[in-house]
Each structure stands twice: as C-alpha cells, then as structure tokens.
mmCIF file of all heavy atoms in Angstrom:
data_model
loop_
_atom_site.group_PDB
_atom_site.id
_atom_site.type_symbol
_atom_site.label_atom_id
_atom_site.label_comp_id
_atom_site.label_asym_id
_atom_site.label_seq_id
_atom_site.Cartn_x
_atom_site.Cartn_y
_atom_site.Cartn_z
ATOM 1 N N LYS Y 1 8.775 18.311 15.482
ATOM 2 C CA LYS Y 1 8.653 17.262 14.640
ATOM 3 C C LYS Y 1 7.169 16.894 14.404
ATOM 4 O O LYS Y 1 6.441 17.036 15.302
ATOM 5 C CB LYS Y 1 9.330 15.903 15.263
ATOM 6 C CG LYS Y 1 9.375 14.761 14.290
ATOM 7 C CD LYS Y 1 10.241 13.741 14.986
ATOM 8 C CE LYS Y 1 10.397 12.589 13.961
ATOM 9 N NZ LYS Y 1 11.346 11.625 14.491
ATOM 10 N N MET Y 2 6.826 16.370 13.230
ATOM 11 C CA MET Y 2 5.506 15.871 12.989
ATOM 12 C C MET Y 2 5.461 14.440 13.349
ATOM 13 O O MET Y 2 6.326 13.681 12.837
ATOM 14 C CB MET Y 2 5.203 16.036 11.492
ATOM 15 C CG MET Y 2 3.718 15.737 11.168
ATOM 16 S SD MET Y 2 2.557 16.955 11.807
ATOM 17 C CE MET Y 2 2.742 18.389 10.786
ATOM 18 N N LEU Y 3 4.489 14.026 14.130
ATOM 19 C CA LEU Y 3 4.227 12.676 14.513
ATOM 20 C C LEU Y 3 2.897 12.184 14.102
ATOM 21 O O LEU Y 3 1.998 12.903 13.966
ATOM 22 C CB LEU Y 3 4.398 12.537 16.172
ATOM 23 C CG LEU Y 3 5.761 12.845 16.635
ATOM 24 C CD1 LEU Y 3 5.626 12.723 18.173
ATOM 25 C CD2 LEU Y 3 6.910 11.999 16.190
ATOM 26 N N LYS Y 4 2.788 10.821 13.843
ATOM 27 C CA LYS Y 4 1.581 10.240 13.556
ATOM 28 C C LYS Y 4 1.223 9.224 14.654
ATOM 29 O O LYS Y 4 2.082 8.379 14.953
ATOM 30 C CB LYS Y 4 1.599 9.545 12.168
ATOM 31 C CG LYS Y 4 0.215 8.992 11.716
ATOM 32 C CD LYS Y 4 0.313 8.426 10.346
ATOM 33 C CE LYS Y 4 -0.226 9.466 9.405
ATOM 34 N NZ LYS Y 4 -0.482 9.010 8.076
ATOM 35 N N THR Y 5 0.075 9.374 15.275
ATOM 36 C CA THR Y 5 -0.339 8.509 16.377
ATOM 37 C C THR Y 5 -0.795 7.118 15.866
ATOM 38 O O THR Y 5 -0.898 6.947 14.697
ATOM 39 C CB THR Y 5 -1.460 9.148 17.241
ATOM 40 O OG1 THR Y 5 -2.624 9.245 16.425
ATOM 41 C CG2 THR Y 5 -1.018 10.678 17.682
ATOM 42 N N GLN Y 6 -1.053 6.300 16.802
ATOM 43 C CA GLN Y 6 -1.451 4.926 16.516
ATOM 44 C C GLN Y 6 -2.843 5.010 15.741
ATOM 45 O O GLN Y 6 -3.095 4.160 14.935
ATOM 46 C CB GLN Y 6 -1.575 4.087 17.694
ATOM 47 C CG GLN Y 6 -0.219 3.697 18.139
ATOM 48 C CD GLN Y 6 -0.335 2.845 19.629
ATOM 49 O OE1 GLN Y 6 -1.348 2.637 20.227
ATOM 50 N NE2 GLN Y 6 0.902 2.380 20.042
ATOM 51 N N SER Y 7 -3.699 5.986 16.114
ATOM 52 C CA SER Y 7 -4.920 6.087 15.346
ATOM 53 C C SER Y 7 -4.837 6.890 14.082
ATOM 54 O O SER Y 7 -5.847 6.962 13.329
ATOM 55 C CB SER Y 7 -5.963 6.861 16.315
ATOM 56 O OG SER Y 7 -5.654 8.156 16.365
ATOM 57 N N GLY Y 8 -3.660 7.329 13.641
ATOM 58 C CA GLY Y 8 -3.519 8.056 12.428
ATOM 59 C C GLY Y 8 -3.560 9.509 12.514
ATOM 60 O O GLY Y 8 -3.351 10.115 11.466
ATOM 61 N N LEU Y 9 -3.742 10.053 13.701
ATOM 62 C CA LEU Y 9 -3.762 11.413 13.867
ATOM 63 C C LEU Y 9 -2.373 12.060 13.765
ATOM 64 O O LEU Y 9 -1.465 11.551 14.343
ATOM 65 C CB LEU Y 9 -4.339 11.755 15.312
ATOM 66 C CG LEU Y 9 -4.396 13.283 15.642
ATOM 67 C CD1 LEU Y 9 -5.416 14.011 14.790
ATOM 68 C CD2 LEU Y 9 -4.647 13.409 17.127
ATOM 69 N N GLU Y 10 -2.304 13.113 12.889
ATOM 70 C CA GLU Y 10 -0.978 13.878 12.787
ATOM 71 C C GLU Y 10 -0.925 14.941 13.847
ATOM 72 O O GLU Y 10 -1.865 15.706 14.072
ATOM 73 C CB GLU Y 10 -0.787 14.477 11.510
ATOM 74 C CG GLU Y 10 -0.543 13.421 10.391
ATOM 75 C CD GLU Y 10 -0.164 14.029 9.006
ATOM 76 O OE1 GLU Y 10 -0.641 15.131 8.682
ATOM 77 O OE2 GLU Y 10 0.621 13.419 8.308
ATOM 78 N N VAL Y 11 0.192 15.071 14.575
ATOM 79 C CA VAL Y 11 0.329 16.043 15.650
ATOM 80 C C VAL Y 11 1.781 16.681 15.433
ATOM 81 O O VAL Y 11 2.717 16.035 15.166
ATOM 82 C CB VAL Y 11 0.366 15.376 16.989
ATOM 83 C CG1 VAL Y 11 0.670 16.408 18.151
ATOM 84 C CG2 VAL Y 11 -0.989 14.706 17.275
ATOM 85 N N LEU Y 12 1.681 18.009 15.376
ATOM 86 C CA LEU Y 12 2.933 18.713 15.448
ATOM 87 C C LEU Y 12 3.529 18.974 16.773
ATOM 88 O O LEU Y 12 2.813 19.500 17.680
ATOM 89 C CB LEU Y 12 2.854 20.104 14.665
ATOM 90 C CG LEU Y 12 3.960 21.086 14.732
ATOM 91 C CD1 LEU Y 12 5.165 20.348 14.017
ATOM 92 C CD2 LEU Y 12 3.640 22.460 14.270
ATOM 93 N N VAL Y 13 4.693 18.520 17.028
ATOM 94 C CA VAL Y 13 5.390 18.678 18.303
ATOM 95 C C VAL Y 13 6.165 19.928 18.195
ATOM 96 O O VAL Y 13 7.060 20.004 17.222
ATOM 97 C CB VAL Y 13 6.273 17.572 18.726
ATOM 98 C CG1 VAL Y 13 7.053 17.762 19.990
ATOM 99 C CG2 VAL Y 13 5.416 16.205 18.752
ATOM 100 N N ASP Y 14 5.983 20.927 18.993
ATOM 101 C CA ASP Y 14 6.680 22.160 18.949
ATOM 102 C C ASP Y 14 6.969 22.626 20.403
ATOM 103 O O ASP Y 14 6.426 23.476 21.020
ATOM 104 C CB ASP Y 14 5.842 23.350 18.226
ATOM 105 C CG ASP Y 14 6.651 24.499 18.027
ATOM 106 O OD1 ASP Y 14 7.906 24.482 18.132
ATOM 107 O OD2 ASP Y 14 6.013 25.561 17.710
ATOM 108 N N LEU Y 15 7.991 21.943 21.061
ATOM 109 C CA LEU Y 15 8.379 22.154 22.378
ATOM 110 C C LEU Y 15 9.294 23.293 22.476
ATOM 111 O O LEU Y 15 10.068 23.666 21.560
ATOM 112 C CB LEU Y 15 9.028 20.911 23.013
ATOM 113 C CG LEU Y 15 8.183 19.694 23.008
ATOM 114 C CD1 LEU Y 15 8.963 18.475 23.419
ATOM 115 C CD2 LEU Y 15 6.870 19.845 23.849
ATOM 116 N N PRO Y 16 9.331 24.060 23.607
ATOM 117 C CA PRO Y 16 10.189 25.231 23.862
ATOM 118 C C PRO Y 16 11.669 24.845 23.660
ATOM 119 O O PRO Y 16 12.541 25.722 23.311
ATOM 120 C CB PRO Y 16 9.915 25.805 25.134
ATOM 121 C CG PRO Y 16 8.746 24.946 25.717
ATOM 122 C CD PRO Y 16 8.484 23.811 24.777
ATOM 123 N N LYS Y 17 12.078 23.598 24.068
ATOM 124 C CA LYS Y 17 13.461 23.196 23.988
ATOM 125 C C LYS Y 17 13.548 21.714 23.677
ATOM 126 O O LYS Y 17 12.535 21.037 23.902
ATOM 127 C CB LYS Y 17 14.214 23.578 25.347
ATOM 128 C CG LYS Y 17 13.695 22.807 26.414
ATOM 129 C CD LYS Y 17 14.459 23.229 27.714
ATOM 130 C CE LYS Y 17 13.894 22.391 28.960
ATOM 131 N NZ LYS Y 17 14.610 22.603 30.116
ATOM 132 N N THR Y 18 14.643 21.291 23.212
ATOM 133 C CA THR Y 18 14.827 19.844 22.922
ATOM 134 C C THR Y 18 14.576 19.029 24.279
ATOM 135 O O THR Y 18 15.194 19.418 25.304
ATOM 136 C CB THR Y 18 16.235 19.586 22.418
ATOM 137 O OG1 THR Y 18 16.341 20.364 21.161
ATOM 138 C CG2 THR Y 18 16.287 18.122 22.010
ATOM 139 N N THR Y 19 13.789 17.948 24.244
ATOM 140 C CA THR Y 19 13.366 17.244 25.373
ATOM 141 C C THR Y 19 13.489 15.789 25.185
ATOM 142 O O THR Y 19 13.263 15.385 24.151
ATOM 143 C CB THR Y 19 11.841 17.693 25.681
ATOM 144 O OG1 THR Y 19 11.772 19.051 25.819
ATOM 145 C CG2 THR Y 19 11.360 16.963 26.982
ATOM 146 N N SER Y 20 13.845 15.142 26.265
ATOM 147 C CA SER Y 20 13.956 13.704 26.255
ATOM 148 C C SER Y 20 12.722 13.209 26.795
ATOM 149 O O SER Y 20 12.357 13.367 27.982
ATOM 150 C CB SER Y 20 15.190 13.333 27.129
ATOM 151 O OG SER Y 20 15.260 11.834 27.097
ATOM 152 N N LEU Y 21 11.870 12.470 26.074
ATOM 153 C CA LEU Y 21 10.580 11.914 26.453
ATOM 154 C C LEU Y 21 10.767 10.496 26.973
ATOM 155 O O LEU Y 21 11.621 9.773 26.266
ATOM 156 C CB LEU Y 21 9.582 11.889 25.251
ATOM 157 C CG LEU Y 21 9.330 13.255 24.627
ATOM 158 C CD1 LEU Y 21 8.546 13.074 23.397
ATOM 159 C CD2 LEU Y 21 8.663 14.203 25.536
ATOM 160 N N MET Y 22 10.165 10.203 28.039
ATOM 161 C CA MET Y 22 10.262 8.944 28.680
ATOM 162 C C MET Y 22 8.996 8.124 28.374
ATOM 163 O O MET Y 22 7.906 8.677 28.086
ATOM 164 C CB MET Y 22 10.391 9.002 30.192
ATOM 165 C CG MET Y 22 11.623 9.772 30.618
ATOM 166 S SD MET Y 22 13.158 8.963 30.130
ATOM 167 C CE MET Y 22 13.059 7.529 31.125
ATOM 168 N N ASP Y 23 9.119 6.758 28.330
ATOM 169 C CA ASP Y 23 8.006 5.894 28.201
ATOM 170 C C ASP Y 23 6.994 6.283 29.314
ATOM 171 O O ASP Y 23 7.331 6.352 30.585
ATOM 172 C CB ASP Y 23 8.462 4.479 28.350
ATOM 173 C CG ASP Y 23 7.387 3.484 28.064
ATOM 174 O OD1 ASP Y 23 6.946 3.348 26.958
ATOM 175 O OD2 ASP Y 23 6.920 2.781 29.119
ATOM 176 N N GLY Y 24 5.693 6.552 28.988
ATOM 177 C CA GLY Y 24 4.807 6.925 29.968
ATOM 178 C C GLY Y 24 4.446 8.414 30.047
ATOM 179 O O GLY Y 24 3.526 8.808 30.674
ATOM 180 N N ASP Y 25 5.348 9.253 29.435
ATOM 181 C CA ASP Y 25 5.066 10.667 29.431
ATOM 182 C C ASP Y 25 3.983 10.835 28.358
ATOM 183 O O ASP Y 25 3.549 9.956 27.631
ATOM 184 C CB ASP Y 25 6.337 11.386 28.976
ATOM 185 C CG ASP Y 25 7.394 11.565 30.036
ATOM 186 O OD1 ASP Y 25 7.124 11.224 31.166
ATOM 187 O OD2 ASP Y 25 8.456 11.902 29.661
ATOM 188 N N ALA Y 26 3.406 12.009 28.291
ATOM 189 C CA ALA Y 26 2.453 12.460 27.175
ATOM 190 C C ALA Y 26 2.805 13.790 26.677
ATOM 191 O O ALA Y 26 3.332 14.643 27.339
ATOM 192 C CB ALA Y 26 1.051 12.372 27.773
ATOM 193 N N LEU Y 27 2.369 13.943 25.474
ATOM 194 C CA LEU Y 27 2.420 15.296 24.783
ATOM 195 C C LEU Y 27 1.071 15.917 24.924
ATOM 196 O O LEU Y 27 0.056 15.217 24.579
ATOM 197 C CB LEU Y 27 2.865 15.269 23.353
ATOM 198 C CG LEU Y 27 4.345 14.700 23.144
ATOM 199 C CD1 LEU Y 27 4.508 14.339 21.717
ATOM 200 C CD2 LEU Y 27 5.250 15.821 23.495
ATOM 201 N N GLU Y 28 0.858 17.040 25.383
ATOM 202 C CA GLU Y 28 -0.538 17.674 25.483
ATOM 203 C C GLU Y 28 -0.588 18.742 24.368
ATOM 204 O O GLU Y 28 0.215 19.623 24.284
ATOM 205 C CB GLU Y 28 -0.625 18.288 26.906
ATOM 206 C CG GLU Y 28 -2.112 18.800 27.140
ATOM 207 C CD GLU Y 28 -2.259 19.144 28.557
ATOM 208 O OE1 GLU Y 28 -2.552 18.368 29.392
ATOM 209 O OE2 GLU Y 28 -2.258 20.446 28.837
ATOM 210 N N THR Y 29 -1.600 18.594 23.580
ATOM 211 C CA THR Y 29 -1.847 19.488 22.540
ATOM 212 C C THR Y 29 -2.678 20.776 22.958
ATOM 213 O O THR Y 29 -3.190 20.845 23.980
ATOM 214 C CB THR Y 29 -2.723 18.843 21.421
ATOM 215 O OG1 THR Y 29 -4.074 18.533 21.855
ATOM 216 C CG2 THR Y 29 -1.980 17.485 20.953
ATOM 217 N N ASN Y 30 -2.617 21.797 21.972
ATOM 218 C CA ASN Y 30 -3.313 22.968 22.277
ATOM 219 C C ASN Y 30 -4.864 22.797 22.457
ATOM 220 O O ASN Y 30 -5.480 23.727 23.094
ATOM 221 C CB ASN Y 30 -3.042 24.008 21.184
ATOM 222 C CG ASN Y 30 -3.328 23.498 19.789
ATOM 223 O OD1 ASN Y 30 -3.428 22.232 19.615
ATOM 224 N ND2 ASN Y 30 -3.296 24.310 18.828
ATOM 225 N N ASP Y 31 -5.440 21.679 21.959
ATOM 226 C CA ASP Y 31 -6.908 21.406 22.163
ATOM 227 C C ASP Y 31 -7.117 20.479 23.302
ATOM 228 O O ASP Y 31 -8.197 19.938 23.389
ATOM 229 C CB ASP Y 31 -7.508 21.137 20.839
ATOM 230 C CG ASP Y 31 -6.862 19.923 20.191
ATOM 231 O OD1 ASP Y 31 -5.919 19.298 20.744
ATOM 232 O OD2 ASP Y 31 -7.368 19.480 19.144
ATOM 233 N N GLY Y 32 -6.056 20.120 24.130
ATOM 234 C CA GLY Y 32 -6.354 19.333 25.343
ATOM 235 C C GLY Y 32 -6.120 17.846 25.087
ATOM 236 O O GLY Y 32 -6.374 17.021 26.056
ATOM 237 N N LEU Y 33 -5.772 17.323 23.903
ATOM 238 C CA LEU Y 33 -5.535 15.965 23.797
ATOM 239 C C LEU Y 33 -4.169 15.612 24.456
ATOM 240 O O LEU Y 33 -3.249 16.370 24.507
ATOM 241 C CB LEU Y 33 -5.363 15.554 22.270
ATOM 242 C CG LEU Y 33 -6.547 15.822 21.353
ATOM 243 C CD1 LEU Y 33 -6.238 15.540 19.914
ATOM 244 C CD2 LEU Y 33 -7.674 14.903 21.838
ATOM 245 N N ARG Y 34 -4.173 14.375 24.964
ATOM 246 C CA ARG Y 34 -2.963 13.829 25.516
ATOM 247 C C ARG Y 34 -2.435 12.654 24.753
ATOM 248 O O ARG Y 34 -3.181 11.619 24.656
ATOM 249 C CB ARG Y 34 -3.050 13.547 26.993
ATOM 250 C CG ARG Y 34 -3.043 14.702 27.988
ATOM 251 C CD ARG Y 34 -2.849 14.281 29.375
ATOM 252 N NE ARG Y 34 -2.768 15.491 30.139
ATOM 253 C CZ ARG Y 34 -2.647 15.578 31.437
ATOM 254 N NH1 ARG Y 34 -2.677 14.365 32.113
ATOM 255 N NH2 ARG Y 34 -2.579 16.598 32.143
ATOM 256 N N ILE Y 35 -1.328 12.719 24.167
ATOM 257 C CA ILE Y 35 -0.697 11.646 23.288
ATOM 258 C C ILE Y 35 0.300 10.979 24.168
ATOM 259 O O ILE Y 35 1.397 11.515 24.442
ATOM 260 C CB ILE Y 35 -0.111 12.261 22.023
ATOM 261 C CG1 ILE Y 35 -1.092 13.184 21.334
ATOM 262 C CG2 ILE Y 35 0.352 11.089 21.098
ATOM 263 C CD1 ILE Y 35 -2.410 12.622 20.983
ATOM 264 N N GLY Y 36 0.088 9.760 24.648
ATOM 265 C CA GLY Y 36 1.031 8.961 25.328
ATOM 266 C C GLY Y 36 2.227 8.525 24.610
ATOM 267 O O GLY Y 36 2.089 8.199 23.536
ATOM 268 N N ILE Y 37 3.368 8.450 25.232
ATOM 269 C CA ILE Y 37 4.603 8.099 24.641
ATOM 270 C C ILE Y 37 4.932 6.643 25.115
ATOM 271 O O ILE Y 37 4.893 6.330 26.190
ATOM 272 C CB ILE Y 37 5.744 8.933 25.110
ATOM 273 C CG1 ILE Y 37 5.529 10.492 24.789
ATOM 274 C CG2 ILE Y 37 7.131 8.607 24.524
ATOM 275 C CD1 ILE Y 37 5.385 10.771 23.356
ATOM 276 N N CYS Y 38 5.104 5.839 24.028
ATOM 277 C CA CYS Y 38 5.475 4.418 24.288
ATOM 278 C C CYS Y 38 6.933 4.137 23.808
ATOM 279 O O CYS Y 38 7.216 4.691 22.557
ATOM 280 C CB CYS Y 38 4.533 3.521 23.586
ATOM 281 S SG CYS Y 38 2.829 3.637 24.105
ATOM 282 N N ALA Y 39 7.714 3.425 24.440
ATOM 283 C CA ALA Y 39 9.070 3.183 24.022
ATOM 284 C C ALA Y 39 8.954 1.962 23.041
ATOM 285 O O ALA Y 39 8.366 1.028 23.464
ATOM 286 C CB ALA Y 39 9.972 2.797 25.288
ATOM 287 N N ALA Y 40 9.480 2.127 21.878
ATOM 288 C CA ALA Y 40 9.444 1.134 20.889
ATOM 289 C C ALA Y 40 10.524 0.024 21.151
ATOM 290 O O ALA Y 40 11.662 0.405 21.539
ATOM 291 C CB ALA Y 40 9.745 1.691 19.422
ATOM 292 N N PRO Y 41 10.273 -1.202 20.803
ATOM 293 C CA PRO Y 41 11.362 -2.240 20.935
ATOM 294 C C PRO Y 41 12.389 -1.830 19.897
ATOM 295 O O PRO Y 41 12.095 -1.366 18.685
ATOM 296 C CB PRO Y 41 10.583 -3.498 20.435
ATOM 297 C CG PRO Y 41 9.079 -3.267 20.610
ATOM 298 C CD PRO Y 41 8.960 -1.780 20.444
#
C-alpha cells in the first residue's frame, strides 16, 4: 500500500506477507528511514 506520513512523505509499503501492525511498530524503508505506526482514534 502507498502511505503518506505526517510530514507528507509518500512511502510504498511492500511487505513479504500481509502483516498486522501494532501501535508503536515501525516500517523501515530501503534507505533506513523508520516510519512509526500510530493507532488512529
């Protein structure tokens, strides 16, 4: 899925399998960025 971060950065999520992300996890990009996952109200 394509996601847009709070700062406006677009990130393509391409995980090997469907994954359940938890509040506090992060997605790590190919260039070393870590995008924190926040649970929305």
Side-chain angles (χ1 to χ4, degrees):
K1 186 174 186 173
M2 186 69 73
L3 298 177
K4 188 175 262 192
T5 68
Q6 289 177 352
S7 72
L9 177 68
E10 288 190 328
V11 176
L12 173 64
V13 178
D14 188 15
L15 301 173
K17 63 182 182 176
T18 303
T19 303
S20 180
L21 301 173
M22 300 297 294
D23 185 69
D25 288 349
L27 296 165
E28 189 169 277
T29 66
N30 52 348
D31 56 358
L33 298 175
R34 283 195 176 176
I35 311 301
I37 304 298
C38 299

